[in-house]
Amino acid sequence: MIDLTVKLKNITFRNPVFVASGTFGYGIEIPDLVDISRLGAIITKSVTLHPREGNPPPRIVETASGMLNSIGLANVGVDRYITELIPRYESLETPIIMNIAGSSLDEYTAILRKVESVSSNIIGYEVNISCPNVKKGGMQFGVDRELTARLTEQLRKCTERLLIMKLSPNVTDITAIAAAAENAGADAVSAINTVVGMGIDAITRKSKIYMTYGGLSGPAIKPIGLAAVHKIHRKCSLPIIGIGGITCGNDVVEYLLAGAIAVEVGTANFRNPGIVQAIVRDLYTYCKEQKIDQISGLSGGVETYP
Ligand code: SIN
């Protein structure tokens, strides 16, 4: 019997394959296309204190082995999330992790306080301190150890639910930010968010993204994600959720070997919203062929050269 379950804090997930924030809407849009009960967890789209329209178009462009986005945190705001979405999660079997974003410490805290004040089956929060597409907040927190620590500490006081800090690769030393989150009480980190990039049209000579720069995701960034996870795993002892360019079961295994305990699939959902089901099937096949009973045993198992 192959066991794909993984544990994080006091929660057991049916498998280690989650869907990444911003790539699966609020988790309820595509139930007819996808059997969401097969997903390890759904991380919902970033929610801010007030509704946001996001950045003007063009805000998504395809690149070699990836995609650039500069959505700018378009979302319905926390009040509508509470009244319109949280009630719909009650009937879902899939664990829901709410992603939150803010432009100040107080904004992040206000969101959490609002959500904590209502009854919900949300199992935790992923805190977006790594969005490269907004002028205030977002990545501003995730590139600064001190701010990361203060925010984590403040949010920790507001919730006993799972608290995951989502880290940016656009830093000199991601392990220093992960350590700050760990010491301030985070339950886990997720790594990595997108890598700052740019697209230019040679004929029109125009930037392909209205905001000039965007966040690069997809297979192009998998090696960056793997290195980040491996470095954090070497330095910190908190659980890591790996993100970046996952499209198949072997990609998941690579992230687990690098030190992750679970992964988030992002950009691949845009090509095929059912891809996570295929990835989970891949994992069964991998475990069967490699004679692995428990997938959680793979975490951190990469052999590096001396
Ligand atoms: C965006 O809304 O611009 C993307 C979210 C992110 O990169 O965190």
Side-chain angles (χ1 to χ4, degrees):
M1 183 71 182
I2 293 166
D3 180 6
L4 290 191
T5 62
V6 291
K7 281 205 176 91
L8 183 46
K9 204 173 181 179
N10 51 354
I11 300 160
T12 301
F13 295 87
R14 62 174 63 85
N15 67 60
V17 193
F18 305 173
V19 288
S21 174
T23 66
F24 217 76
Y26 294 104
I28 47 163
E29 287 87 345
I30 36 182
D32 296 341
L33 286 176
V34 182
D35 178 5
I36 57 171
S37 71
R38 305 292 293 275
L39 311 179
I42 295 172
I43 293 109
T44 56
K45 189 173 174 40
S46 287
V47 170
T48 51
L49 188 56
H50 304 293
R52 288 176 60 96
E53 288 290 326
N55 294 331
R59 54 189 198 179
I60 289 190
V61 63
E62 205 171 325
T63 60
S65 297
M67 185 185 101
L68 273 173
N69 93 80
S70 180
I71 302 297
L73 301 176
N75 77 96
V76 296
V78 67
D79 291 336
R80 276 184 65 193
Y81 188 88
I82 288 173
T83 53
E84 293 174 25
L85 293 152
I86 283 182
R88 297 186 66 180
Y89 297 148
E90 294 294 335
S91 59
L92 296 187
E93 282 174 37
T94 315
I96 298 286
I97 298 172
M98 178 188 185
N99 182 300
I100 65 167
S103 59
S104 66
L105 288 173
D106 287 349
E107 251 187 53
Y108 282 100
T109 312
I111 299 168
L112 218 67
R113 288 221 171 97
K114 274 179 182 260
V115 181
E116 286 287 306
S117 72
V118 300
S119 135
S120 84
N121 64 345
I122 286 172
I123 61 153
Y125 304 94
E126 180 179 64
V127 184
N128 186 349
I129 53 168
S130 42
C131 174
N133 305 325
V134 285
K135 287 207 175 82
K136 257 185 99 197
M139 204 172 89
Q140 205 184 331
F141 287 88
V143 298
D144 185 316
R145 261 187 303 184
E146 185 60 30
L147 276 179
T148 299
R150 276 173 57 200
L151 178 60
T152 309
E153 209 173 279
Q154 206 160 299
L155 297 180
R156 180 73 289 166
K157 287 184 194 144
C158 304
T159 185
E160 288 182 1
R161 291 187 166 101
L162 202 55
L163 188 62
I164 304 163
M165 305 306 282
K166 184 169 184 179
L167 305 188
S168 171
N170 306 298
V171 290
T172 315
D173 180 8
I174 196 168
T175 68
I177 311 291
E182 177 171 34
N183 295 334
D187 295 308
V189 290
S190 50
I192 53 175
N193 204 328
T194 56
V195 179
V196 172
M198 182 177 185
I200 299 175
D201 187 314
I203 305 303
T204 63
R205 303 185 185 187
K206 277 186 140 175
S207 163
K208 288 187 173 175
I209 292 278
Y210 183 90
M211 299 298 283
T212 310
Y213 309 114
L216 180 66
S217 60
I221 69 163
K222 192 180 83 176
I224 302 173
L226 285 174
V229 167
H230 190 248
K231 285 179 181 182
I232 297 167
H233 180 67
R234 274 186 161 167
K235 178 154 172 177
C236 304
S237 50
L238 87 176
I240 307 160
I241 303 170
I243 319 170
I246 294 164
T247 62
C248 63
N250 276 8
D251 292 340
V252 179
V253 172
E254 290 170 32
Y255 269 98
L256 298 182
L257 291 171
I261 60 115
V263 299
E264 294 177 22
V265 174
T267 306
N269 291 313
F270 292 122
R271 293 189 100 183
N272 173 8
I275 195 150
V276 168
Q277 293 163 91
I279 291 174
V280 172
R281 280 196 299 272
D282 282 356
L283 285 181
Y284 273 111
T285 308
Y286 175 88
C287 288
K288 203 168 157 201
E289 285 175 3
Q290 299 288 322
K291 302 193 182 353
I292 290 165
D293 295 333
Q294 269 195 325
I295 199 148
S296 57
L298 289 175
S299 187
V302 64
E303 283 183 34
T304 54
Y305 293 99

